[in-house]
Amino acid sequence: MLFNKKKKDINEIDENNTLDDDLKQVEDLSIEDKEDKVLDDNDLLPEEIEEKEEEQKKEEKAKEKAEAKKEKKERRKETGVVATFNMYKFIIKILIFAILLVFGILMFIYKDELIGAVYMVAGIVITFATLIRIIPLVKTTKSHKAKVVMIIQLSIHFVIGLYLILAAVIHWDKLKDITQAIIDGKVSQDAPLMEQLNAVSGGWFAKFNISAFIYILVIYFYTLAVGYYWVTILYGEKTRPSLFWIQTVCISLAVLLGCLSKTLNAQTLIITLAIIALIGALVVGGEAGGGYFMYRRKLAQFKPKEKKKDKKKEDKIETPAKDEDKKIDEIDPNIIPVNDDDRDSSIVS
């Protein structure tokens, strides 16, 4: 028993010794690797050292750019209004505000002249919208019956557009005749427009257009919506939800204008459009002014982050000669580097 116990102790001692030897070998290898690295760095040519430094500089620049991008993103998150504010949109809003304001004021001052402008704008919009829809609708409509319905609808709209353009030209021509009639003393300048039109030859047509303008719009909106529902419901043509809602708004406008046709005409519509233009100007101007105010407020509150410059400080041992105040007697001998001859010799070998 004693013999076996001693044998076990000897084996444990041998194992511990072998483990210590292995650790020593690993440490020696790591020391050798470090020495090899030092040797490699010292053996580099000046050109290679410059290349290495340039690569390090490039890496540092790339890191700086990445940090700058991160800071920009953080700044945008912190200043939402500043980030979303667009100077070009702001300028466009100012221009729209000015146009709507001027248009609204002119509608009140030159009501008679702008009736013709309303005819002209409506006629050009309807005609252009009809022309750009002809080829796509005829080519993409699958059912023959649906094509016939679309062609009839587009024909009606094209005639309405041309009629309104002609009505605008005739209206402005009759206004010139009214001016001449006022000069000739045939009609009073303070008389209503309808009486002035009765005093000139052919004025009945301009008078009819003023009363019929609302009914013309009712016909346009009604046929636009009915034609859409006809081809989609009865003939199964493909559509989109947005088109459905647009056509629903159109037929609702037709019904509303039809109900107000007795009180509404081209003259009263001009006043309504003038009020809408002024309200639109106030909304657009208020939005532009409020957006700019919030932009300046956020910009004033925002403080840009200071860039942190990492300065690499190299640890250097100062020689006694650099410090003039120190005396040689006060220098600690432990801080003076001692050349290790054995290590140098091992590196060279």
Side-chain angles (χ1 to χ4, degrees):
M1 292 291 287
L2 288 167
F3 179 74
N4 289 331
K5 192 174 182 181
K6 285 181 180 179
K7 196 172 183 180
K8 284 180 182 180
D9 293 338
I10 291 165
N11 290 331
E12 287 176 0
I13 291 164
D14 291 337
E15 287 176 0
N16 291 329
N17 289 331
T18 53
L19 186 63
D20 292 337
D21 293 337
D22 291 339
L23 289 169
K24 284 181 181 179
Q25 286 178 0
V26 170
E27 287 177 358
D28 293 337
L29 287 170
S30 64
I31 291 166
E32 287 178 3
D33 291 337
K34 287 179 181 178
E35 289 175 352
D36 289 338
K37 284 181 182 178
V38 172
L39 185 63
D40 292 339
D41 291 338
N42 291 330
D43 288 345
L44 288 174
L45 295 171
E47 294 175 358
E48 293 174 345
I49 292 168
E50 286 179 2
E51 288 178 1
K52 207 171 185 180
E53 288 176 353
E54 286 178 1
E55 287 178 1
Q56 288 177 355
K57 286 178 182 178
K58 286 179 182 178
E59 288 177 0
E60 288 175 0
K61 285 181 180 178
K63 286 179 181 178
E64 286 177 0
K65 284 182 180 179
E67 287 177 0
K69 284 182 180 178
K70 284 182 181 178
E71 285 181 2
K72 278 185 179 179
K73 285 181 181 178
E74 288 176 2
R75 184 166 28 179
R76 284 177 182 176
K77 287 178 183 177
E78 289 175 2
T79 57
V81 176
V82 176
T84 54
F85 182 82
N86 192 324
M87 187 59 70
Y88 297 108
K89 289 181 181 178
F90 173 72
I91 293 167
I92 290 167
K93 284 178 181 178
I94 293 296
L95 291 173
I96 292 169
F97 164 76
I99 291 166
L100 287 173
L101 186 64
V102 172
F103 192 61
I105 293 168
L106 288 174
M107 278 182 167
F108 281 109
I109 298 171
Y110 303 102
K111 288 183 287 186
D112 298 340
E113 288 81 358
L114 284 172
I115 290 171
V118 171
Y119 293 159
M120 183 64 73
V121 171
I124 290 171
V125 169
I126 292 169
T127 306
F128 181 70
T130 303
L131 290 173
I132 62 173
R133 289 169 62 217
I134 291 171
I135 295 171
L137 282 175
V138 171
K139 281 192 173 183
T140 57
T141 305
K142 294 179 181 179
S143 173
H144 178 70
K145 291 180 180 179
K147 280 184 182 180
V148 172
V149 172
M150 285 289 99
I151 289 168
I152 293 169
Q153 183 204 63
L154 293 170
S155 301
I156 293 168
H157 292 171
F158 187 70
V159 170
I160 289 171
L162 291 179
Y163 178 84
L164 288 173
I165 292 169
L166 180 64
V169 174
I170 291 171
H171 181 80
W172 286 324
D173 185 58
K174 294 307 165 187
L175 288 179
K176 290 179 183 177
D177 294 343
I178 289 169
T179 304
Q180 187 62 40
I182 291 168
I183 293 168
D184 296 340
K186 292 179 180 180
V187 68
S188 174
Q189 188 176 359
D190 298 328
L193 180 62
M194 293 299 190
E195 290 182 12
Q196 291 175 347
L197 287 171
N198 288 329
V200 297
S201 61
W204 65 269
F205 185 68
K207 190 177 176 181
F208 169 78
N209 290 330
I210 290 171
S211 302
F213 180 66
I214 298 301
Y215 295 103
I216 293 168
L217 293 180
V218 169
I219 293 167
Y220 173 73
F221 287 123
Y222 183 77
T223 53
L224 185 66
V226 169
Y228 167 80
Y229 291 128
W230 197 333
V231 297
T232 53
I233 295 170
L234 295 180
Y235 301 125
E237 289 294 325
K238 291 183 179 179
T239 185
R240 292 178 298 177
S242 58
L243 286 173
F244 170 80
W245 290 112
I246 289 169
Q247 302 300 333
T248 304
V249 170
C250 287
I251 201 166
S252 301
L253 276 172
V255 173
L256 181 64
L257 291 172
C259 294
L260 299 173
S261 59
K262 288 183 179 180
T263 55
L264 272 178
N265 55 31
Q267 285 181 308
T268 54
L269 187 62
I270 286 289
I271 297 168
T272 307
L273 290 173
I275 294 167
I276 291 169
L278 292 174
I279 292 169
L282 290 174
V283 171
V284 174
E287 187 181 350
Y292 188 73
F293 175 75
M294 293 298 293
Y295 164 72
R296 294 301 305 175
R297 188 178 177 183
K298 281 278 184 182
L299 203 64
Q301 290 176 353
F302 176 72
K303 292 180 181 179
K305 293 180 180 179
E306 295 179 357
K307 293 183 178 179
K308 295 180 180 178
K309 294 182 179 180
D310 298 329
K311 293 181 179 180
K312 296 180 180 179
K313 293 182 179 180
E314 296 180 357
D315 296 332
K316 295 181 180 180
I317 301 168
E318 293 184 357
T319 57
K322 286 185 180 179
D323 196 349
E324 296 177 357
D325 296 335
K326 284 187 179 181
K327 295 180 180 180
I328 297 172
D329 297 338
E330 295 176 356
I331 296 170
D332 187 1
N334 294 322
I335 66 168
I336 300 172
V338 180
N339 294 328
D340 193 353
D341 297 333
D342 297 334
R343 187 169 176 177
D344 292 341
S345 60
S346 64
I347 291 169
V348 174
S349 62

